[in-house]
Amino acid sequence: MRISLQEAADKLREAGRIVVTAHVNPDGDALGSSLALYHLLQKLGKTVQVLIDDDIPDAFGFLPGIEVIAKPDEEKYQADLLVLLDVSMDRVGRVIERCPAPILNIDHHITNDEKADYLYLDADRAATAEIVYQLAGALQVVPDKAAATCIYTGMSTDTGNFRYSNTTPFTMRAAADMIEAGAEPHVVSEALEKRSFKEVQDRARAMQTIEVCADGKIAGLYIGNDLYETLDTTEGFIDGVRIIDTVRVAILMKEVEPGKCRVSMRSKGVDVSSIAASFGGGGHIRAAGCTIEEPLAAAKAKLLAAVEKAV
Ligand code: 5GP
Ligand code: MN
Ligand code: MN
């Protein structure tokens, strides 16, 4: 059931024990939104547990409160409300089965499955963190430095550091508010952009294997499992593909296990969320992803057939 922002805030106010979760393979928005909400709810005296059913990338170690995040274990979690951030019901791993509580879903993905008990969805917001910023207002809680840093990080990562088309005047005003509240842009960006020497070399090698097709409109990096296993990160690789001047759809395909490929897509003017959705994934018009359960060559052929049709 769709609800308003104020109704979402009321649900949070009414609950005493709240579990907060976000999507597996967590990014800056998933983690920033979850921890920001954690800090805001702590201020309201709530008992809050943040559960993420995946490993947390080391790069996010700077986020205030990161140490409170736990993976769900075998026990059941008693809560009055389970909050799903930056995700639908499908990509939260085992959290839903371990936490039998009414579900409040707060999201900005146009592909949200609308299956939660209560859904506040605003696809015009650049990041779920931007909605958490609005929620702070609705809850009448002023973000402290910790919450502001988390909100700023979610907004920064989902907008490519305030460069993508989802960056609005509202985004910039909200970010300015968060800086005023204590977020430090250079601290966030330095933490997120730093790479080891090996990672820089790996990236340079990977970039040499970019393949271009459809008169340059499609460019992709296709990383087989053997190569994937040698890489410490592929974070940011797709940006190196996206910036090619002729490209309308950029692809990063990684065979994360033999026979299982993770796909990221970025676009200029082509709706990649519907391409991703046709493979069971989702996302936004200009940034989407999916998983294709095929070896690299077969997954690549299937994806390219769909992308070629779209460009
Ligand atoms: P990324 O390429 O950065 O992993 O994801 C880009 C966008 O697509 C993000 O908003 C992310 O949440 C969404 N996305 C990526 N993979 C999937 C997926 O498998 N399913 C769904 N529903 N969304 C995805
Ligand atoms: Mn996300
Ligand atoms: Mn997001």
Side-chain angles (χ1 to χ4, degrees), residues 23 25 27 86 88 90-91 108-109 111 158 238 262-266 280-284 287-291:
H23 57 81
N25 191 14
D27 55 22
D86 198 41
S88 308
D90 55 341
R91 294 171 68 223
H108 70 129
H109 289 96
T111 51
D158 265 25
I238 197 164
R262 275 287 312 157
V263 176
S264 284
M265 288 181 281
R266 300 290 182 271
H284 309 282
C290 58
T291 300

Side-chain angles (χ1 to χ4, degrees), residues 52-80:
I52 304 273
D53 194 10
D54 211 338
D55 297 331
I56 309 299
D58 291 342
F60 295 109
F62 75 97
L63 280 177
I66 193 84
E67 67 287 348
V68 309
I69 300 179
K71 259 191 205 174
D73 52 27
E74 297 309 313
E75 69 176 293
K76 290 264 181 187
Y77 295 84
Q78 299 301 323
D80 305 318

Side-chain angles (χ1 to χ4, degrees), residues 194-214:
K194 71 169 188 244
R195 297 285 181 269
S196 69
F197 181 47
K198 173 183 181 297
E199 286 167 347
V200 172
Q201 288 183 310
D202 284 349
R203 181 186 157 113
R205 258 195 299 275
M207 287 303 144
Q208 293 184 349
T209 71
I210 293 177
E211 293 175 34
V212 169
C213 63

Side-chain angles (χ1 to χ4, degrees), residues 147-171:
T149 300
C150 294
I151 289 171
Y152 181 90
T153 298
M155 291 176 36
S156 170
T157 53
D158 265 25
T159 56
N161 245 323
F162 307 100
R163 289 175 303 137
Y164 300 155
S165 63
N166 56 356
T167 307
T168 64
F170 183 91
T171 308

Side-chain angles (χ1 to χ4, degrees), residues 245-285:
D245 55 359
T246 57
V247 162
R248 300 191 66 211
V249 177
I251 298 167
L252 173 64
M253 180 177 281
K254 308 176 286 195
E255 193 176 17
V256 294
E257 292 168 23
K260 180 178 174 184
C261 294
R262 275 287 312 157
V263 176
S264 284
M265 288 181 281
R266 300 290 182 271
S267 93
K268 296 167 202 154
V270 176
D271 178 5
V272 286
S273 74
S274 56
I275 301 173
S278 74
F279 289 96
H284 309 282
I285 287 170

